[in-house]
Amino acid sequence: MPSIVYSNLAQAGAHRSVAIDLPGREYEILIGGGLLNEAGRAIAQRLGKGKCGVVTDENVAGFHLENLEAALKADGRHKGSIVLPAGESTKCFAQLDRLSQGLLEMGLERGDFVVAFGGGVIGDLAGFAASILRRGVRYVQIPTSLLAQVDSSVGGKTGINTPQGKNLIGTFHQPNLVLADIDLLKTLPEREMRAGYAEVAKYGLLGDADFFAWLEANSASVLAHDTAALMKAVETSVKAKADVVIADEREAGVRGLLNLGHTFGHALEAATGYSQRLLHGEGVAIGMVLAFRLSERLQLCPAGTADRVAAHLKAAGLPTRIADIPAGEGAGSSHFEPDELIRLMGQDKKVKDGRMTFVLARAIGEAFLTQDVDLAEVRGLLSEECGALAG
Ligand code: GLY
């Protein structure tokens, strides 16, 4: 790792640096305020030569694209920018086609790189395009949502959605640098900030009870953009993610823990048509509570744990029950069927030999992976949850 170079930048702006030490694919995640203005210098120090194409969405472009382009144009790297529609539906084959052709038309060569400038949708899509463009070019992640800063921009998962489910088409392709500028979160809609917070809480719930207790005391400061609290939340989350990615880049085992709440969450997202009814982080919040309720139901975890999890997520303004999801247009109160949710859970790419992998917990901070779950118990839990909708 180029430690001298990155410590210069870290000291200059009180930025923090987390290293992903994957042999041959090392990179840093820089965390701090004002990093966007430093992007040109940070990229030059780490990527050396090469020009870039920026990929972003309409929302981010409106607030920040001019600043990023200015930072990149200053040293003549900027070849062009592609602005895509905002929203989960952009993560599809049609936009991948449009984006890949756009990057080729820009004249991006093998030694050039892509800059993914946006939330999880742009990061996953642009990362995927970078991984297949000319058989793979480098890319830089500049995540603009809390969710992307603490989760999706780190670790090299790229992909798109299909009607069969989320992220079922994609690659592992590590970025060459991640710039997590916490100042960019100030323009994030509050609902998205809260949705991203679910992924922050996830790291406490899966492996760090002290961090979860700290979040219980400090979530209001984190969500109010208090610099010190937000830095601690992002840095702790990124370090936790880095440890897991270094240990298991390709998700042969322990990386699966990062899917706490995601199997339930993805099914709920699919059932709500990946719409504004349920943001990804909101689905994860409900899913994490369900994972703890299932753990209690299976007598793996002390009674009351799931209520503590739910109380914290609720205090952070997140939905914690299926009943909290607003009804869709024309949908009655019974718009979720347990068997349909189980079918959608079975589309998860973590299914192995036809068996679903669950992330369950023995306590807060003690998550584990298992394929040994009786689906009758899952159905029972979901029936209770969906039954609550009618009540
Ligand atoms: N978001 C889960 C992972 O990166 O493995």
Side-chain angles (χ1 to χ4, degrees):
M1 291 293 299
S3 56
I4 287 177
V5 176
Y6 73 69
S7 59
N8 284 347
L9 191 68
Q11 279 159 19
H15 306 134
R16 307 302 297 254
S17 171
V18 176
I20 302 279
D21 282 322
L22 288 168
R25 298 180 303 294
E26 302 90 349
Y27 60 98
E28 283 169 81
I29 300 114
L30 296 183
I31 305 158
L35 280 169
L36 192 64
N37 299 332
E38 307 267 7
R41 187 152 69 99
I43 288 172
Q45 286 172 343
R46 290 160 187 79
L47 277 86
K49 289 199 168 86
K51 297 193 185 240
C52 66
V54 174
V55 184
T56 191
D57 72 26
E58 285 158 355
N59 293 343
V60 175
F63 286 115
H64 307 293
L65 185 56
E66 211 178 304
N67 286 350
L68 177 61
E69 287 186 348
L72 296 170
K73 278 176 186 163
D75 61 349
R77 287 176 179 278
H78 183 249
K79 280 211 147 182
S81 299
I82 295 175
V83 181
L84 300 172
E88 190 71 32
S89 57
T90 290
K91 257 176 74 170
C92 66
F93 268 118
Q95 294 293 351
L96 177 69
D97 181 10
R98 180 182 160 196
L99 174 58
S100 308
Q101 296 207 41
L103 292 168
L104 289 173
E105 272 162 25
M106 250 179 226
L108 231 57
E109 296 173 359
R110 187 72 184 73
D112 294 336
F113 59 95
V114 171
V115 176
F117 186 41
V121 167
I122 290 297
D124 286 6
L125 177 67
F128 190 20
S131 76
I132 55 176
L133 200 77
R134 299 190 189 277
R135 298 209 168 87
V137 298
R138 299 174 297 168
Y139 74 116
V140 173
Q141 289 270 19
I142 307 185
T144 59
S145 69
L146 181 58
L147 185 142
Q149 293 194 354
V150 300
D151 186 24
S152 58
S153 69
V154 178
K157 279 189 181 175
T158 81
I160 55 171
N161 304 329
T162 57
Q164 289 77 16
K166 276 193 74 145
N167 301 326
L168 296 180
I169 307 286
T171 57
F172 286 98
H173 186 57
Q174 297 295 340
N176 297 77
L177 174 66
V178 181
L179 297 176
D181 183 342
I182 60 166
D183 286 347
L184 299 180
L185 303 180
K186 289 178 186 156
T187 54
L188 196 63
E190 193 181 320
R191 183 178 171 198
E192 281 190 40
M193 185 76 185
R194 292 183 192 283
Y197 180 85
E199 299 278 2
V200 173
K202 179 184 80 176
Y203 294 106
L205 291 173
L206 72 86
D208 189 343
D210 290 345
F211 181 48
F212 187 76
W214 182 85
L215 289 172
E216 286 179 309
N218 293 283
S219 62
S221 304
V222 173
L223 291 165
H225 298 268
D226 173 87
T227 301
L230 191 51
M231 279 292 281
K232 177 174 164 116
V234 174
E235 190 185 359
T236 307
S237 302
V238 167
K239 274 188 180 149
K241 175 126 193 198
D243 286 347
V244 171
V245 169
I246 292 166
D248 179 23
E249 182 187 8
R250 297 248 160 182
E251 202 170 317
V254 73
R255 186 163 179 172
L257 291 174
L258 297 175
N259 297 316
L260 176 63
H262 283 60
T263 303
F264 286 114
H266 282 170
L268 292 168
E269 279 184 90
T272 49
Y274 304 108
S275 67
Q276 286 297 309
R277 280 173 69 197
L278 188 72
L279 302 181
H280 173 69
E282 295 170 341
V284 169
I286 297 171
M288 291 193 296
V289 175
L290 287 173
F292 274 85
R293 294 215 184 282
L294 184 58
S295 302
E296 279 189 29
R297 193 180 176 98
L298 298 171
Q299 296 182 327
L300 295 163
C301 159
T305 313
D307 281 346
R308 181 178 164 197
V309 175
H312 176 57
L313 296 174
K314 193 171 176 193
L318 285 159
T320 58
R321 309 208 56 151
I322 294 177
D324 294 338
I325 301 172
E329 225 153 273
S333 59
S334 59
H335 48 287
F336 297 101
E337 294 293 335
D339 284 329
E340 174 60 1
L341 290 177
I342 289 175
R343 188 190 70 76
L344 291 168
M345 288 165 76
Q347 292 288 351
D348 198 283
K349 61 190 169 311
K350 269 69 79 177
V351 171
K352 219 170 166 185
D353 303 327
R355 289 186 73 81
M356 276 187 235
T357 303
F358 285 84
V359 188
L360 299 180
R362 293 192 182 87
I364 285 173
E366 289 180 39
F368 65 97
L369 292 159
T370 179
Q371 289 195 305
D372 194 17
V373 173
D374 183 352
L375 283 187
E377 295 290 351
V378 180
R379 191 170 290 106
L381 173 69
L382 289 173
S383 298
E384 277 175 25
E385 278 279 316
C386 295
L389 288 165

